[in-house]
Amino acid sequence: MLRDISPQSLFMGLLAGFVGWASAFAVVLQGLSAVGATPEQAASGLMALSVSMGLCAIVLSLRTKLPISIAWSTPGAALLATSGAIDGGFSVAVGAFIICAILIIISGVWKPLGRAVSRIPAPLANAMLAGVLLGLCLAPVKAVAFNPILGLPIVIAWLVVGRFNRLLAVPAALLAFIAVMIFGIDFPPNALADLGSSIAPPIEFVMPDFTLAGLVGIALPLFVVTMASQNIPGTAVLRANGYDTPPGPLFATTGFFSLLSAPFGGHAVNLAAITAALCAGEDAHPDPAKRYWAAVFGGVFYIVFGLLAGFVTAFITIAPSILIEAVAGLALIGAFAGSVVAAFKDDDAREAAAVTFIVTAAGLTFYGVSGAFWGLLAGGLIYVLTHLRNRRNTN
């Protein structure tokens, strides 16, 4: 097994770990904070997710000898960012994370649930995701309006580097954000001392609270968006690269590691798509049977980055929140564009997708339940009525 290690797999593992972590950790912090996490709890959640997805990638890749890359649920974090605080605070959100993890496990071991998720009309699932992402994707524009001197360097770095290498565009925006922080923002007194004290890995256990609002408003939409936007595409990437493996055990394992991270603030981990393409491609190793080490090394670097979560969170909280939202928004523009195209390409489902998108993007909360659930419910009703009408017309 150790003879399969190569410099290529080490490099691609580092690249996958860096790109996967740097391009989306801002979204995770934004999402956890939006549902009531304190900075310490958000840092703990970020660390728990990083360690869980690193361990999950290592375990699955070594056990199957397949390049199975794992990521946190970026669309799920975006969903949390638009959900807002829920009655009962972060404890209710953590309870919802646990329910979501259990549902992911069940979908892996009980085929009817997995089939039920796969039968959710793809236009509606993508429209819900697009509605969730819209608000965050507006953040870069708002950041420039807030302060062009601070906001423009972040956007320009993303634009320029993205023209040459799309994978490095968001890390470049992150580096620009760090430069803006260092040279453009006055650090408050004792800030450096606070940063030094935050190097130790943050661990915050949160006692979960289970409520109906948490189940309907967070757990179910988080489960749907994680499965439809992450786990199912993740298996497709593996198949596209010639790795055909039953998805059920993979789903169940990601659910198990999601369950481990939930009490410490982690929302969900899942199969990766973008970093999976890096680890499963020819650049990871000429021999497809030896590419699994790229995913293993990617997992190792996830753990290393996760142990620095406290320092990263403390550094970010010094900056105006709109700037880190801008980095998060830039990281999600590609996902937003893809979901919009997939949502509206089907003529028969276009109206239902539009309703789903509008209701979700409105971000309205009824009875403590987030707009994502109501968007999917409203769009589903239109979808059913449209198909009944079309069936009546054809008869």
Side-chain angles (χ1 to χ4, degrees), residues 168-224:
L168 297 180
V170 175
L174 177 61
L175 292 176
F177 165 79
I178 295 173
V180 166
M181 286 277 294
I182 294 173
F183 299 107
I185 294 177
D186 292 330
F187 284 71
N190 300 322
L192 294 179
D194 293 339
L195 286 176
S197 63
S198 63
I199 293 179
I203 301 176
E204 290 276 340
F205 178 82
V206 180
M207 183 62 67
D209 189 8
F210 302 95
T211 67
L212 181 61
L215 168 66
V216 178
I218 294 181
L220 292 180
L222 179 60
F223 169 67
V224 170

Side-chain angles (χ1 to χ4, degrees), residues 94-107 215 218-224 226-227 255 258-259 267-268:
V94 169
F97 299 163
I98 291 175
I99 295 173
C100 174
I102 293 173
L103 289 174
I104 294 173
I105 294 172
I106 295 174
S107 70
L215 168 66
I218 294 181
L220 292 180
L222 179 60
F223 169 67
V224 170
T226 298
M227 293 296 296
S258 296
L259 188 61
H267 63 290

